[in-house]
Amino acid sequence: MRKFDLSFGRNKKKDGGAPVLQTAAREISRPLGRMGMYSPSSGCDYELYTSLRDNVPVIDAALDKIVRLMGSFEVKCGDDRLDCEINDFLATVRSGGQLGGIHGFLSVYMNQLLTYGTAVGEIVLTGSGRGIYSLVNVPLKNVELAFADNMIDAVVCPADVYSGEPYKYQELLLVSALNPEPGKLCGVSVLHGLPFVSDILLKIYNTIGVNWERVGNVRFAVTYKPSGDSDRAMSRSRAQQIADEWSKAMRDKESVSDFVSVGDVSVKVIGADNQVLDSEVPVREMLEQIVAKLSVPPFLLGLSWSTTERMSSQQADILTSELEYYRRILGGVIGRIVRLWLRLRGIDTPFEIRWDNINLQDELDLAKARLYNAQAARLEDQ
């Protein structure tokens, strides 16, 4: 087992200095290096997944809902005084340079994990190395995941594949991968499989916008039909006169203007006879695919699809199981932060992460379960 030297090469008698972020972006350095050991994260198209969240509101709302529904937690280790100190630290620790607490850090961390399939964070120690100064979310473009020398463990390296060695203090780096494929270090985004469906949805929306721009901004076709030889001789000048008067009537937006003409003149609205395609059915089909992939009940996204009370309850149960899965992933990250905080204080004690119940319905169901168990125990004792 690799030993973790908390002094990090510093003189333990000295106390001071500035915190240092080791995963900050850096320039290209020397050529060659550990290229053969890299498992590049090029399998994740960051710009594509970011564009999906920017352009499809349902996807962005669903991921935000998942993050907010994760809820809060507290750490318990059996000592009330120590519990108070730990939870106070978690509530006040800097997150990205701000006093946002660990929840601010985990919110960005979870968003990164859901969107890209991989999330990376760093624990920044104080200048003396005896305390935790901040928790920083690392942009994935700044780092790469590589296999260690045993080709099993993962290490974090600078994004420049020519930089050589991985970061020195891997114990301070937090990495999570969502459903990684065998032989891969990077996870798979929950948006995987949605670009095709989203592209069709955006095409439909774009077509709706173009059609309304054409139909809403009405265009007219004015036709003048000469009736005799005299009209045909003057047709050019009369057509020009009609065009000038029609343009004048259309430009006068402050008051109602009438167009009066003599002769066989007809006015029709361009596109009035064409029927715009019904988009309700294809749009719903695309949204159903998106909702099925994200596992978020439609009613939480403002989609008023007909559903029964039992179906809504089952959808909520499915979402609860999804949230429990994500909580287990975050539990490892929280555990590493708390464990390091305890070790920096010279404390070695077990602890437990207790999450709040996801919603009030869970509280009600638990209360009913306790009541039924108590009633059953009373009947058994009689």
Side-chain angles (χ1 to χ4, degrees):
M1 180 180 295
R2 181 164 36 179
K3 296 183 179 181
F4 182 25
D5 182 11
L6 296 181
S7 65
F8 298 106
R10 300 182 179 88
N11 188 346
K12 296 184 179 181
K13 295 182 179 180
K14 296 182 179 180
D15 188 6
V20 178
L21 180 66
Q22 59 180 336
T23 54
R26 56 179 67 180
E27 299 294 333
I28 296 178
S29 56
R30 61 183 183 274
L32 302 179
R34 298 163 53 91
M35 294 180 59
M37 304 179 64
Y38 273 89
S39 174
S41 56
S42 57
C44 175
D45 194 334
Y46 304 108
E47 288 76 13
L48 174 61
Y49 291 144
T50 302
S51 178
L52 282 179
R53 295 197 62 167
D54 292 340
N55 294 282
V56 185
V58 172
I59 293 178
D60 187 58
L63 297 186
D64 286 339
K65 286 284 193 305
I66 292 175
V67 173
R68 287 196 292 268
L69 289 174
M70 292 292 295
S72 57
F73 64 92
E74 61 179 1
V75 177
K76 296 290 185 180
C77 59
D79 187 331
D80 293 340
R81 182 186 61 81
L82 187 57
D83 290 347
C84 183
E85 291 182 5
I86 294 176
N87 290 288
D88 182 67
F89 158 74
L90 295 176
T92 58
V93 65
R94 292 178 177 271
S95 174
Q98 305 295 328
L99 296 177
I102 193 173
H103 291 289
F105 167 77
L106 292 179
S107 177
V108 179
Y109 192 90
M110 192 64 194
N111 261 297
Q112 192 180 51
L113 182 65
L114 294 174
T115 306
Y116 308 115
T118 307
V120 179
E122 181 176 356
I123 304 173
V124 181
L125 301 182
T126 58
S128 62
R130 299 177 180 178
I132 296 178
Y133 178 77
S134 177
L135 304 175
V136 178
N137 297 99
V138 180
L140 294 180
K141 293 183 178 181
N142 290 5
V143 297
E144 288 281 358
L145 300 184
F147 285 103
D149 294 334
N150 58 9
M151 298 303 294
I152 298 177
D153 299 327
V155 293
V156 183
C157 306
D160 170 25
V161 296
Y162 302 108
S163 60
E165 296 300 320
Y167 292 112
K168 185 175 181 180
Y169 307 115
Q170 294 291 320
E171 295 84 354
L172 300 179
L173 299 177
L174 307 169
V175 181
S176 297
L178 188 63
N179 300 324
E181 298 179 358
K184 299 292 183 64
L185 296 177
C186 297
V188 180
S189 168
V190 297
L191 305 184
H192 181 71
L194 292 184
F196 175 74
V197 175
S198 301
D199 182 56
I200 297 177
L201 182 64
L202 292 177
K203 286 181 179 178
I204 297 174
Y205 285 155
N206 181 67
T207 304
I208 293 175
V210 172
N211 288 336
W212 274 100
E213 184 178 355
R214 291 175 176 175
V215 177
N217 187 8
V218 181
R219 289 160 174 82
F220 298 92
V222 182
T223 306
Y224 166 60
K225 299 179 181 179
S227 58
D229 295 339
S230 60
D231 286 346
R232 290 189 182 94
M234 303 294 294
S235 62
R236 186 179 184 86
S237 61
R238 288 185 178 180
Q240 185 63 43
Q241 183 180 6
I242 292 173
D244 294 340
E245 293 299 323
W246 181 261
S247 299
K248 180 181 178 182
M250 291 295 100
R251 287 195 302 268
D252 192 359
K253 298 181 180 179
E254 296 182 356
S255 60
V256 178
S257 298
D258 297 325
F259 173 72
V260 181
S261 63
V262 178
D264 190 0
V265 179
S266 62
V267 179
K268 293 183 178 180
V269 177
I270 297 177
D273 298 333
N274 296 329
Q275 184 178 3
V276 179
L277 294 176
D278 183 15
S279 61
E280 181 177 357
V281 174
V283 166
R284 174 161 177 168
E285 289 179 354
M286 298 302 105
L287 290 178
E288 285 175 348
Q289 297 295 320
I290 294 175
V291 170
K293 187 66 169 64
L294 300 178
S295 301
V296 177
F299 59 85
L300 290 180
L301 302 175
L303 300 175
S304 56
W305 296 343
S306 59
T307 182
T308 62
E309 182 178 356
R310 182 176 180 83
M311 184 181 299
S312 299
S313 177
Q314 292 175 346
Q315 291 174 345
D317 291 340
I318 294 174
L319 177 60
T320 301
S321 64
E322 292 286 331
L323 296 177
E324 292 290 347
Y325 170 70
Y326 294 138
R327 282 181 171 184
R328 288 194 294 271
I329 295 177
L330 290 184
V333 176
I334 299 169
R336 287 191 59 183
I337 297 172
V338 174
R339 194 172 295 110
L340 178 59
W341 184 86
L342 291 172
R343 292 176 62 186
L344 291 172
R345 297 169 64 91
I347 302 174
D348 184 14
T349 182
F351 58 89
E352 179 185 4
I353 302 173
R354 296 182 182 178
W355 290 89
D356 295 339
N357 289 322
I358 294 176
N359 53 39
L360 294 178
Q361 187 66 36
D362 292 340
E363 296 279 2
L364 179 60
D365 293 339
L366 291 175
K368 287 182 179 180
R370 289 195 298 269
L371 175 62
Y372 295 156
N373 289 333
Q375 292 176 348
R378 181 189 301 176
L379 292 175
E380 292 174 355
D381 293 338
Q382 291 178 355

